[in-house]
């Protein structure tokens, strides 16, 4: 039970909510309102269908217009997640991906811990109709699934955002500042893991690893899942880059 | 943290959600969807503005139409709460009423306990614009306030219903059946407390208690707050009726 049903401001910076390929402007505006209800004011948009800015979003957001004004827009999900250290993907159904599945409650508890450790947390929300693609989820460290009634799972985008924001606020009104538990580990930000994945993908492509062609995409998705699942430090990433370069180099020379 | 982010069906009957004087049919339909998302399927309507059935509600509810089909409609709040043993009122701001204020989490924890004890729980939701009147809240045993961002509290009806239903499901997927803790106390159902309040109100009116006229309504509201705040058994109610009758009788005789 929450120790404090009142609204104590949280000292923790809220996570960044990333709307991936959102469609209706109204839903973007409704998401902004849902976020601000719980003090989550950092929004990022990946390839919004109807472009940006969007008058319909602005009209729906009304009081929450400042969330839209501050929203950052990106062409690709990879760019949008660039500076995030830990990323959640919200998903309705279990995709059988080999990464943790959290309830909103558990996820925001983790998010609060990560944030208290100085890490930047992002939460991805998919397009209204289809939700996130497996290739989007492949870029997440963990997934969030709302425990809805299996006979009637009909949460819309703004509702999913609302419940996640609610849990963020609920968790952070309890969490003590964890300064004394500050983790010194220098985790690799998402962009570095992304570059590592790209490096391996390119080299493996050249090496004819992704065969047959029909399976290439799913093989690449699985690979990205593997990288994002690992808790990699910056040093790990450099080591892996070095390993890859060395493997290719030795192959080239042995071919001579 | 929830032991079980998956959807385990709950053995507890969900509370009845009572929409008081709802206005737009679309919002009634959206509330039905929000309810069913978390397995809450008992809806009651008090004096819906546009009458009942409402095509706009039906259209919006789509998959949750059965919640509307099963909805019971009442002219007065007192009738709608008639068979409820414990009633919550959702309210945005603190009304300074002398009854418990719970977070949705704490409230649904209490609701789960009461339900496990065989009591019928109701939750009131006010009209879209104004919310519940003090006189509505006076009929509740406790209030629920969502801990929103005080700088942007903009929850709509369906969102308030959604968060309450979410907490019901979250609490009840953890609660063990409390059969062994079954409380044998014969609590007075709401209708009996209502009649007791009416009885006192009539007699006190006749006695000129509610004076000056300008303050009469708030005095009556405070009185109903007092009754609903008490955890009254059926025996208590009968005793109070008897006390009142006796007081009036002795007064009448002494006047002779």
């Amino acid at each position: 039970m929450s120790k404090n049903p009142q609204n104590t401001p949280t000292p923790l910076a809220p996570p960044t909510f990333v709307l991936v390929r959102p469609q209706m402007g109204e839903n973007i505006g409704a998401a902004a309102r849902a976020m601000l209800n719980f003090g989550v004011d950092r929004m990022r948009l990946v390839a919004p269908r109807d472009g940006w800015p969007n008058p319909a979003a602005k009209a729906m957001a009304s009081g929450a217009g400042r969330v839209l004004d501050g929203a950052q827009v990106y062409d690709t999900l990879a760019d949008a997640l660039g500076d995030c250290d830990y990323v959640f993907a919200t998903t309705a159904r279990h995709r059988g991906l080999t990464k943790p599945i959290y309830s909103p409650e558990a996820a925001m508890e983790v998010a609060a811990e990560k944030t208290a450790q100085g890490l930047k947390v992002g939460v991805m929300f998919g397009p209204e109709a289809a939700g996130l693609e497996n290739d989007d989820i492949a870029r997440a460290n963990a997934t969030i699934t709302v425990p809805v009634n299996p006979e009637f799972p009909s949460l819309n985008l703004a509702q999913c955002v609302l419940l996640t924001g609610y849990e963020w606020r609920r968790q952070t009104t309890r969490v003590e500042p964890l300064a004394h538990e500050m983790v010194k580990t220098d985790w690799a930000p998402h962009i570095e893991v992304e570059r590592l994945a790209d490096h391996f993908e390119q080299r493996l492509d050249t090496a004819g690893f992704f065969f047959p062609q029909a399976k290439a995409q799913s093989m690449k998705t699985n690979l990205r899942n593997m990288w994002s699942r690992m808790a990699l430090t910056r040093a790990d990433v450099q080591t892996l880059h070095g390993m890859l370069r060395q493997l290719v180099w030795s192959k080239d020379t042995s071919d001579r």
Side-chain angles (χ1 to χ4, degrees), chain A residues 4 28 34 36 41-42 53 73 98 108 120 171 199 238 252:
Chain A
N4 179 2
I28 300 172
L36 199 53
D41 54 6
R42 302 179 186 181
V73 184
T98 52
M108 291 303 99
K120 290 195 70 167
Q171 297 303 323
H199 187 188
Q238 290 318 310
D252 296 346

Side-chain angles (χ1 to χ4, degrees), chain A residues 205-223:
Chain A
D205 231 347
T206 313
F209 173 80
F210 300 113
F211 181 88
Q213 186 56 41
K215 285 197 174 172
Q217 188 48 56
S218 66
M219 291 169 80
K220 291 175 180 178
T221 297
N222 292 339
L223 205 59

Side-chain angles (χ1 to χ4, degrees), chain A residues 190-200 202 224 241:
Chain A
H190 189 277
I191 186 65
E192 292 189 11
V193 178
E194 193 74 26
R195 292 201 189 106
L196 181 68
D198 292 342
H199 187 188
F200 269 80
Q202 291 155 14
R224 284 193 186 270
H241 277 297

Side-chain angles (χ1 to χ4, degrees), chain A residues 5-239:
Chain A
Q6 298 310 314
N7 311 314
T8 57
T10 158
L12 296 176
T16 300
F17 279 15
V18 183
L19 307 192
V20 183
R21 300 182 301 277
Q23 300 175 335
M24 305 269 294
E26 290 76 0
N27 295 329
I28 300 172
R33 293 181 65 86
M35 286 168 64
L36 199 53
N37 265 301
F38 296 110
V40 179
D41 54 6
R42 302 179 186 181
M43 175 186 276
R44 288 180 182 180
L45 301 168
V46 179
R49 185 191 66 185
D50 301 340
W52 199 257
N54 183 323
K58 192 83 176 178
M60 175 64 90
S62 63
R66 69 177 181 81
V67 174
L68 298 183
D69 298 339
Q72 299 164 290
V73 184
Y74 300 84
D75 294 335
T76 71
L77 178 58
D79 293 341
L81 300 177
D83 63 351
C84 294
D85 301 295
Y86 196 89
V87 177
F88 292 98
T90 55
T91 169
R93 30 194 195 300
H94 189 310
R95 313 278 188 134
L97 294 176
T98 52
K99 54 185 66 179
I101 301 172
Y102 289 115
S103 65
E105 174 182 26
M108 291 303 99
E109 191 173 16
V110 170
E113 288 163 5
K114 301 278 184 191
T115 305
Q117 293 165 3
L119 302 181
K120 290 195 70 167
V121 175
V123 183
M124 292 186 237
F125 299 87
E128 294 90 326
L132 291 168
E133 303 290 337
N134 283 352
D135 198 47
D136 303 322
I137 299 170
R139 292 182 159 79
N141 301 87
T143 63
I144 301 175
T145 299
V146 179
V148 286
N149 172 8
E151 288 153 28
F152 189 76
S154 81
L155 291 181
N156 63 35
L157 175 58
Q159 288 173 320
C160 189
V161 166
L162 184 81
L163 290 169
T164 308
Y166 167 79
E167 283 291 358
W168 165 259
R169 191 172 185 89
R170 203 169 65 77
Q171 297 303 323
T172 50
T173 48
R174 280 190 300 179
V175 166
E176 308 297 323
L178 302 179
H180 57 288
E181 292 180 22
M182 244 347 180
V183 168
K184 292 273 160 289
T185 315
D186 186 14
W187 297 109
H190 189 277
I191 186 65
E192 292 189 11
V193 178
E194 193 74 26
R195 292 201 189 106
L196 181 68
D198 292 342
H199 187 188
F200 269 80
E201 198 170 286
Q202 291 155 14
R203 293 298 194 177
L204 290 167
D205 231 347
T206 313
F209 173 80
F210 300 113
F211 181 88
Q213 186 56 41
K215 285 197 174 172
Q217 188 48 56
S218 66
M219 291 169 80
K220 291 175 180 178
T221 297
N222 292 339
L223 205 59
R224 284 193 186 270
N225 270 317
M226 182 193 74
W227 296 124
S228 58
R229 199 162 56 237
M230 298 178 173
L232 295 169
T233 64
R234 290 195 134 109
D236 297 331
V237 170
Q238 290 318 310
T239 306

